[in-house]
Amino acid sequence: MQFDDRQFRKFLSEQEISDLLDDLAVKINEDYGINDKILLVGVLKGAFLVMADLLRRLHSDVDIEFVRTLTHGKTINSPGTVTMLKDIATDVRGRHVIIVEEIIDSGRTLKFLYDRLKSANPLSIKIATLLDKQSKRVVKVEADYVGKVVDDQFLIGYGLDLEEKCRNLPEIHALKYPN
Ligand code: IMP
Ligand code: MG
């Protein structure tokens, strides 16, 4: 596939994405009871499809919220400070929070969100991600539920964007030659 002069190869088909979500949901359904109150917190924009597809596979009492963050300066020498663009409006006390991401890279976004949500005293807090670029981690943060560990490569589709485009592709594609 070609986009904006850049070549992509298919990385995960719709079926493969669906299988990864099935696996994630099986593990989550094993860990929580039918009556447990789960609050899924999706990280906008990228995680909206994972949220929609994961939600429908869960058996507990599930509510949803979305957050949006902004990372300032991702250059080598910058600290990559994360701030909140949109916060949740639900009280997390008495709920099991699961933060839902489509991909973890440096870990900065999740570390920030994890610490912030944890300080609001949920019953428990965990992290679920479809994809995990574990080798790119800059800060220490580990997901409890990982669909697939991936190498350091640029991915688009299924919510993942290239300059706000390509989120609508039903499959995930990988950039062939970084440029
Ligand atoms: P982190 O704070 O560095 O872990 O950034 C995670 C966020 O960066 C993800 O939620 C994505 O929005 C974005 N991201 C990381 N890797 C990719 C990629 O390969 N394609 C598109 N977006 C990505
Ligand atoms: Mg994201």
Side-chain angles (χ1 to χ4, degrees), residues 91-107:
D91 189 353
V92 300
R93 281 174 296 183
R95 290 159 191 263
H96 296 281
V97 169
I98 305 177
I99 307 174
V100 178
E101 262 287 22
E102 82 287 11
I103 194 162
I104 310 176
D105 192 312
S106 72

Side-chain angles (χ1 to χ4, degrees), residues 93-144:
R93 281 174 296 183
R95 290 159 191 263
H96 296 281
V97 169
I98 305 177
I99 307 174
V100 178
E101 262 287 22
E102 82 287 11
I103 194 162
I104 310 176
D105 192 312
S106 72
R108 285 193 181 105
T109 308
L110 267 180
K111 171 89 176 104
F112 170 80
L113 288 173
Y114 184 91
D115 291 348
R116 187 183 168 90
L117 287 165
K118 195 170 183 180
S119 69
N121 292 315
L123 271 181
S124 69
I125 178 161
K126 289 193 177 177
I127 295 168
T129 188
L130 180 67
L131 305 173
D132 191 351
K133 292 185 187 172
Q134 282 177 1
S135 64
K136 292 278 302 286
R137 216 60 108 245
V138 171
V139 295
K140 194 172 155 37
V141 60
E142 248 180 76
D144 302 277

Side-chain angles (χ1 to χ4, degrees), residues 9-95:
R9 65 181 169 84
K10 192 182 278 186
F11 182 67
L12 291 172
S13 68
E14 283 184 78
Q15 185 59 53
E16 286 166 326
I17 294 169
S18 177
D19 291 346
L20 293 177
L21 290 164
D22 284 346
D23 294 346
L24 280 179
V26 165
K27 289 183 207 141
I28 295 173
N29 284 328
E30 271 171 14
D31 288 354
Y32 298 87
I34 299 278
N35 297 316
D36 280 343
K37 290 187 190 312
I38 296 180
L39 180 67
L40 291 184
V41 179
V43 186
L44 292 173
K45 299 177 189 176
F48 76 109
L49 288 175
V50 182
M51 280 287 273
D53 289 338
L54 186 61
L55 176 74
R56 285 177 281 183
R57 288 166 163 85
L58 299 184
H59 302 150
S60 302
D61 176 353
V62 185
D63 191 3
I64 57 167
E65 274 284 358
F66 288 94
V67 289
R68 197 166 162 205
T69 58
L70 186 65
T71 306
H72 306 268
K74 276 187 178 166
T75 55
I76 298 245
N77 294 316
S78 102
T81 315
V82 182
T83 54
M84 257 358 226
L85 273 183
K86 181 208 174 307
D87 209 340
I88 65 170
T90 305
D91 189 353
V92 300
R93 281 174 296 183
R95 290 159 191 263

